[in-house]
Amino acid sequence: MPDFSNEPIPELKNPKEIFHSGDLTLRIEGEVVPVVDVHLGQQQSIYFEHHILLWKHPNVRLGVKGLKGAAKRFFAGLQIFISEAHGPGNIAFSREAPGQIVVLQLERGQTVDVREHQFLLATSNIEYSFFFQRGLANLFFSRSGGLFIDRFIGQQQGGLLLIHGYGNVFEKYLAPGEVLDVEPGAWLWKDSSVKMETVTALQSSGGILGAIGVMLGGISFTLNRFIGPGRMALRKAETLVV
């Protein structure tokens, strides 16, 4: 019998529990198009991408937060500002697309890397930065110069980071030295301890004709290779966002 125990594990549904960070509580509502419902207290604030706001109570105050490295982000076509929300009161968010919500509790010093445009929101005690990884394939260009990746780091007592995975989300823990090759558009997030690089797999039907076809036709798969140790997650995209 085939052994499926070491393959990525699907997240069967959105989290049902209530999450806390300081005087903030949140829960995930809905299944097909999930909504993040947040109750802010007097102290813990959050930041988020401005276009995902769904509703808020009038007494929830909104602001703007600048990001480090704004010039690089601007010329890369990425957002250079994100929105902030301060309580008390209720505020809710949704990407208005089918998918699943990932809720990560980051302890102090814990770092995760997230594919750009997948971040939903985070509590204010999570540091937000980014880096550019050269040589990393993206969804459209198999030999692109690289890809911007969001990085989140737990500060002080830690906090919450929420990610929207389009379609279904699968999680995998990679043991030290364990390797998984992933289609470039499929990875969602990873622990910073997981290394990532690009590999090209040539495909041939065998024999001389197959080899000639590879050389002349340029038939190949460009994949992102992930090397443990650490966690990572994949998505089966329903909506294309890169």
Side-chain angles (χ1 to χ4, degrees), residues 23-64:
D23 60 353
L24 170 151
T25 60
L26 66 82
R27 63 179 181 178
I28 313 302
E29 300 172 341
E31 288 296 336
V32 178
V33 181
V35 172
V36 181
D37 192 356
V38 182
H39 285 267
L40 294 166
Q42 296 279 4
Q43 299 177 339
Q44 182 68 77
S45 62
I46 58 174
Y47 58 88
F48 59 95
E49 290 191 343
H50 68 277
H51 60 277
I52 67 169
L53 174 62
L54 191 58
W55 74 70
K56 78 175 189 69
H57 284 169
N59 54 329
V60 173
R61 295 172 288 113
L62 300 181
V64 176

Side-chain angles (χ1 to χ4, degrees), residues 66-144:
L67 297 176
K68 296 179 180 179
K72 291 182 180 179
R73 295 182 68 92
F74 175 79
F75 287 110
L78 302 175
Q79 63 181 4
I80 60 175
F81 298 102
I82 54 176
S83 300
E84 292 180 311
H86 301 263
N90 169 243
I91 186 169
F93 307 92
S94 176
R95 282 201 180 274
E96 299 184 353
Q100 292 180 291
I101 302 296
V102 176
V103 182
L104 298 177
Q105 178 82 51
L106 299 187
E107 303 299 333
R108 182 175 182 176
Q110 188 176 4
T111 305
V112 297
D113 301 329
V114 179
R115 186 182 186 87
E116 61 187 35
H117 303 304
Q118 309 303 297
F119 156 68
L120 268 180
L121 63 93
T123 53
S124 58
N125 43 15
I126 301 292
E127 179 183 331
Y128 182 12
S129 63
F130 74 99
F131 64 96
F132 183 77
Q133 182 157 334
R134 295 188 179 277
L136 185 64
N138 66 24
L139 187 57
F140 289 124
F141 305 103
S142 61
R143 293 176 177 84
S144 65

